[in-house]
């Protein structure tokens, strides 16, 4: 299993959907990665240039930068199995 995950979560403001996606991601990471992740939350209203550079078309969007391969997950991250698969954290 890779050592450190770098995750970027793009959200739009402090909407209920944004807050839900942040809470879901933190819960999943705390249960499966312990302290082996670094999470960057990017509000596209405050940092539109970053969203443009990453070609973000919908929010919330999670980008797994590290470890490779780079992956994207779009949605509120409420489907734990889908998020784990996207992070390459398959349960035995």
């Amino acid at each position: 299993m890779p050592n450190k995950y770098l995750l970027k979560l793009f959200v739009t403001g402090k909407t209920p959907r944004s807050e839900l996606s942040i809470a879901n991601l933190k819960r999943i990471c705390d249960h499966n990665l312990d302290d082996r992740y670094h999470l960057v939350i990017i509000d596209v209203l405050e940092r539109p240039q970053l969203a443009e550079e990453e070609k973000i078309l919908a929010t919330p969007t999670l980008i797994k930068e590290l470890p490779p391969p780079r992956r994207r997950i779009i949605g509120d991250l409420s489907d734990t199995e889908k998020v784990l698969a996207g992070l390459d954290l398959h349960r035995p």
Side-chain angles (χ1 to χ4, degrees), residues 1-38:
M1 182 178 287
N3 287 334
K4 195 75 171 185
Y5 283 75
L6 173 57
L7 307 171
K8 292 181 181 177
L9 179 62
F10 289 83
V11 297
T12 304
K14 296 191 181 297
T15 64
R17 188 168 166 86
S18 295
E19 299 295 328
L20 178 62
S21 67
I22 293 168
N24 284 334
L25 183 57
K26 286 183 176 178
R27 175 183 47 79
I28 291 168
C29 289
D30 287 345
H31 282 97
N32 295 281
L33 294 173
D34 298 318
D35 61 349
R36 295 178 299 117
Y37 72 96
H38 180 71

